[in-house]
Amino acid sequence: MIRFICVCVFLILYLILSIPIFFVEWLIGKFNREKRDYSSLRIVQWGFKLILKITGVEATVIGEENVPDEPVLFVGNHRSFFDILLTYSRCRRLTGYVAKKEMEHIPLLSTWMHFVYCLFLDRENPREGLKTILQAIEHIKEGISICIFPEGTRNKGEELSMLPFKDGAFKIATRTNCAIIPISMNNTSAIFENQFPKIKKVHVVIEYGKPIYPNDLSKEDKKKIGAYVQDIIQATINKNAEMV
């Protein structure tokens, strides 16, 4: 419980003490938007890295060199709140995450999320969901990477299982031909979800797959691109299971 309490205290203090920084970031953005974007990215990453340090999580990271220096669509399996911290803290470029709509109503946290180009998906409203996907496409065209978990929610099933990927997420790549980077994560639910509310010091494995450009796929694979990418991630988490 000590780690959980420490994380909660840090998060509350971080959000409260960062209120003046919102104004500073807004002011920087008036003169240099790119400088503001990257300073916001680094500030959020600093907070995430410190939280991960408090948890004591140890991560083995494989294939990070596969991520090209260009806007991409990160696609990963999703079992823990910590999936976001583990992956976002490693982003080299501006990257917006697609989050559930409810998170837009969390004071202060949602402000930071807007600053770092996060998008809020209404899972109950297909029309609004399409607007979010179209906004993500525009972000890619503007040079901002997007990360999405196509299962649509955290998977609470068996460790090596996945929920079916939703095809709508992949329109971000098929409409822009940006690279899809599969992110395969093992054992992340052992940090927190498996023994809620306790946080455990555990070992996780994160593997970044090779870029997948939709236009390079066969017609059949492109048509079923969600299943194609899911098969890659499934094979990878199966392979890495023995490492945790």
Side-chain angles (χ1 to χ4, degrees), residues 3 11 19 33 52 63 68 86 97 106 113 145 157 170 177 215:
R3 290 190 181 95
L11 186 58
I19 293 175
R33 183 61 177 268
L52 291 172
L86 287 161
Y97 276 52
I106 302 176
M113 293 177 75
S145 293
F170 294 90
N177 197 41
N215 288 352

Side-chain angles (χ1 to χ4, degrees), residues 67-85:
V67 182
D69 186 19
E70 61 191 48
V72 303
L73 175 66
F74 292 106
V75 171
N77 60 311
H78 189 30
R79 294 185 56 82
S80 173
F81 293 117
F82 282 90
D83 296 340
I84 299 165
L85 281 71

Side-chain angles (χ1 to χ4, degrees), residues 68 70-74 140 173 176-181 210-214:
E70 61 191 48
V72 303
L73 175 66
F74 292 106
I140 292 287
T176 61
N177 197 41
C178 72
I180 299 169
I181 304 296
K210 293 182 179 179
I212 302 166
Y213 291 92

Side-chain angles (χ1 to χ4, degrees), residues 43-82:
I43 290 168
V44 173
Q45 287 181 321
W46 173 82
F48 282 179
K49 288 176 181 177
L50 197 50
I51 289 174
L52 291 172
K53 191 170 184 179
I54 293 171
T55 67
V57 63
E58 296 178 4
T60 295
V61 181
I62 304 167
E64 205 165 10
E65 69 279 1
N66 288 325
V67 182
D69 186 19
E70 61 191 48
V72 303
L73 175 66
F74 292 106
V75 171
N77 60 311
H78 189 30
R79 294 185 56 82
S80 173
F81 293 117
F82 282 90

Side-chain angles (χ1 to χ4, degrees), residues 3 52-58 187 190-192 195 198-204:
R3 290 190 181 95
L52 291 172
K53 191 170 184 179
I54 293 171
T55 67
V57 63
E58 296 178 4
N187 207 39
I191 301 172
F192 179 57
Q195 64 285 326
K198 294 181 180 180
I199 291 176
K200 286 180 63 177
K201 179 181 179 180
V202 301
H203 175 238
V204 303

